[in-house]
Amino acid sequence: MDPIEFRLPHTLQRPQATTNSEPVSHSAGPIVTGTSVIAFKYKDGIMMAADCLGSYGRMSMFLNERRLLTVGDSTLVGMSGDFSDYQHMRHTLENIMTQEYDMDDGQSMGPKSIYKCVSKIMYNRRSRLNPLWNTYVVAGIDKGEKVLGYVDYLGTTYETPTIATGFGQHLALPTLRKLVEGHEDEITEEEAIKIVDRCMRVLFYRDSRAISKIIRGKVTAQGVEITEPYTVETNWDIADYVHGYGF
């Protein structure tokens, strides 16, 4: 007669040694995102614009999101990327500005200081392997000097007369460089608005994560002004000439 063997539940399977020699890792990625931001210098200051779409993956989920933020009296910040990380950055900047106000020493953070602050925060999070999944554009006027800088999720920074993030780097930046660079001190506000509308129209046509509803902000010597959302005029007559793709 064969012996009877009893197995308790916790002895049914012995723990197996893992075959994966890689360390345990935690990953993160953007969930609800915003696409391109464009910004450029003009005669009286700096113009910036972004559309109002918040995309949940490929779904156009939120249609009235605002990705331009006023910081202090003379700084405008635009965001591409994850909205929750943007909220974290916004709260961080608000806390910093509140601390500056509480100091009551007659000093305030200008655009250059805020630009450095954003870049240090992004680089610190990258160095801790826990990046904020955003790209920021910081604009302002500091003691009469126009400041326009770029910061990505790795903490990479640079300053230039024309900036675009997301697909705008491919679709809008060539137009901005052609129309703006070398003419920054000649472009009037009316011309700057036309350039904004032209670039945002192209992004709406070509970027599936953009919509025609946009907001526009400007920084001048008088301060920061952000418009209410408005819709860029579009024209789809050319669609009649598109053939192929099964149609």
Side-chain angles (χ1 to χ4, degrees):
M1 182 177 179
D2 295 332
I4 299 176
E5 183 178 356
F6 294 95
R7 289 175 178 258
L8 297 177
H10 66 279
T11 63
L12 289 178
Q13 291 183 348
R14 294 183 179 181
Q16 300 293 325
T18 178
T19 58
N20 185 6
S21 60
E22 297 294 328
V24 176
S25 61
H26 301 277
S27 61
I31 304 299
V32 178
T33 60
T35 184
S36 308
V37 174
I38 65 169
F40 59 91
K41 298 178 181 180
Y42 70 103
K43 182 179 179 180
D44 298 324
I46 300 173
M47 193 73 68
M48 187 183 299
D51 70 273
C52 298
L53 178 63
S55 300
Y56 181 69
R58 290 286 180 177
M59 180 186 297
S60 298
M61 190 75 173
F62 307 103
L63 304 178
N64 197 32
E65 296 299 321
R66 305 192 181 195
R67 296 187 283 122
L68 302 187
L69 171 68
T70 301
V71 182
D73 298 326
S74 58
T75 306
L76 179 63
V77 178
M79 180 281 298
S80 290
D82 186 75
F83 272 97
S84 60
D85 287 346
Y86 167 59
Q87 291 170 344
H88 171 77
M89 177 65 79
R90 185 178 66 191
H91 294 158
T92 300
L93 293 175
E94 288 174 351
N95 290 337
I96 291 173
M97 298 308 293
T98 299
Q99 293 174 8
E100 287 291 314
Y101 178 80
D102 291 341
M103 291 293 290
D104 195 21
D105 57 359
Q107 303 294 322
S108 61
M109 293 182 65
K112 289 185 178 180
S113 298
I114 293 171
Y115 177 48
K116 290 181 180 179
C117 182
V118 172
S119 67
K120 298 301 181 184
I121 292 172
M122 299 298 283
Y123 185 77
N124 175 265
R125 289 294 297 260
R126 163 263 178 107
S127 299
R128 290 158 48 193
L129 304 182
N130 187 21
L132 297 176
W133 296 90
N134 298 122
T135 300
Y136 290 97
V137 179
V138 182
I141 297 181
D142 196 328
K143 298 178 181 178
E145 179 184 355
K146 299 172 188 175
V147 178
L148 180 57
Y150 168 101
V151 186
D152 69 9
Y153 77 105
L154 296 175
T156 306
T157 63
Y158 62 84
E159 296 183 41
T160 182
T162 57
I163 288 179
T165 67
F167 267 105
Q169 292 179 318
H170 308 283
L171 302 174
L173 194 55
T175 300
L176 291 176
R177 287 174 173 168
K178 178 180 179 180
L179 298 178
V180 175
E181 292 190 3
H183 308 284
E184 303 97 291
D185 297 329
E186 304 171 5
I187 299 173
T188 64
E189 182 173 330
E190 291 75 17
E191 292 171 336
I193 292 174
K194 291 181 180 179
I195 293 173
V196 165
D197 290 347
R198 175 176 174 177
C199 291
M200 298 307 293
R201 184 181 299 112
V202 170
L203 288 172
F204 172 59
Y205 286 154
R206 308 298 296 177
D207 183 0
S208 63
R209 300 273 57 81
I211 59 176
S212 58
K213 185 179 181 181
I214 71 170
I215 57 174
R216 186 183 70 244
K218 67 176 182 179
V219 187
T220 63
Q222 286 70 43
V224 180
E225 180 181 336
I226 300 177
T227 67
E228 290 298 315
Y230 69 94
T231 301
V232 176
E233 294 184 5
T234 57
N235 187 337
W236 292 96
D237 291 344
I238 193 174
D240 295 335
Y241 300 94
V242 176
H243 300 283
Y245 303 102
F247 297 101

